[in-house]
């Protein structure tokens, strides 16, 4: 298994475990037509790498930052302080509630921020 495939396979297994759903349900939530797209991606005997489109769709279904969020952030970085402001603003705009803060919104946003910030350490 190639390094990239192993990283993606581990990420997919983690998402599936955290969401507590089947490969078929994850594929449905991510609007991926065939659940075999996911099962092949985690199969050690299969040699393909999942597309960026599918990686993005899975991240959106799991409500976590995606590779495109990371690339967007990298593209905007000009200095450390400004980068932090841009990153947090991007996350707030993307994942903040549309109708004001309610219930667990702050806790969920904090979780998303922690996950996102851990990508850059």
């Amino acid at each position: 298994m190639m390094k990239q495939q192993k990283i993606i396979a581990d990420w997919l297994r983690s998402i599936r475990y955290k969401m507590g759903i089947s490969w078929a349900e994850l594929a449905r939530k991510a609007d991926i037509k065939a659940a075999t797209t996911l099962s092949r991606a985690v199969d050690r005997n299969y040699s393909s790498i999942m597309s960026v489109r599918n990686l993005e769709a899975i991240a959106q279904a799991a409500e976590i930052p995606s590779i495109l969020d990371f690339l967007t952030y990298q593209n905007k970085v000009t200095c450390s302080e400004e980068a932090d402001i841009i990153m947090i603003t991007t996350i707030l705009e993307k994942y903040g509630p549309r109708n004001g803060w309610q219930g667990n919104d702050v806790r969920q946003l904090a979780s998303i921020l922690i996950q996102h910030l851990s990508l850059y350490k």
Side-chain angles (χ1 to χ4, degrees), residues 70 72-80 82-84 86 120:
F70 173 78
T72 299
Y73 167 75
Q74 288 295 315
N75 188 44
K76 292 180 180 180
V77 172
T78 56
C79 69
S80 180
E82 182 179 346
D84 289 343
I86 290 169
Y120 305 103

Side-chain angles (χ1 to χ4, degrees), residues 2 15 23 42 51 62-63 80 94 101 117:
M2 295 185 303
I15 288 172
W23 291 122
V42 298
S51 71
E63 298 180 346
S80 180
K94 184 169 184 176
W101 299 99
L117 290 170

Side-chain angles (χ1 to χ4, degrees), residues 4-109:
Q4 298 91 338
Q5 185 182 10
K6 182 175 181 343
I7 291 168
I8 291 169
D10 290 346
W11 179 75
L12 288 169
R13 286 185 193 100
S14 173
I15 288 172
R16 180 176 169 246
Y17 175 78
K18 287 176 186 173
M19 293 178 76
I21 59 177
S22 67
W23 291 122
E25 181 65 12
L26 180 55
R28 187 190 67 71
K29 287 181 177 285
D31 198 26
I32 295 173
K33 302 299 182 230
T36 55
T37 300
L38 299 176
S39 59
R40 283 192 311 260
V42 298
D43 184 346
R44 296 185 191 289
N45 298 316
Y46 199 77
S47 62
S48 76
I49 301 294
M50 186 171 281
S51 71
V52 172
R53 183 190 90 55
N54 285 340
L55 293 172
E56 175 73 6
I58 291 164
Q60 287 179 353
E63 298 180 346
I64 60 172
S66 72
I67 186 67
L68 294 180
D69 293 325
F70 173 78
L71 294 174
T72 299
Y73 167 75
Q74 288 295 315
N75 188 44
K76 292 180 180 180
V77 172
T78 56
C79 69
S80 180
E81 185 177 334
E82 182 179 346
D84 289 343
I85 292 168
I86 290 169
M87 179 180 53
I88 291 170
T89 301
T90 301
I91 293 168
L92 287 170
E93 289 170 351
K94 184 169 184 176
Y95 297 104
R98 302 291 182 243
N99 299 319
W101 299 99
Q102 302 169 0
N104 279 334
D105 288 341
V106 174
R107 183 175 175 79
Q108 289 172 346
L109 184 57

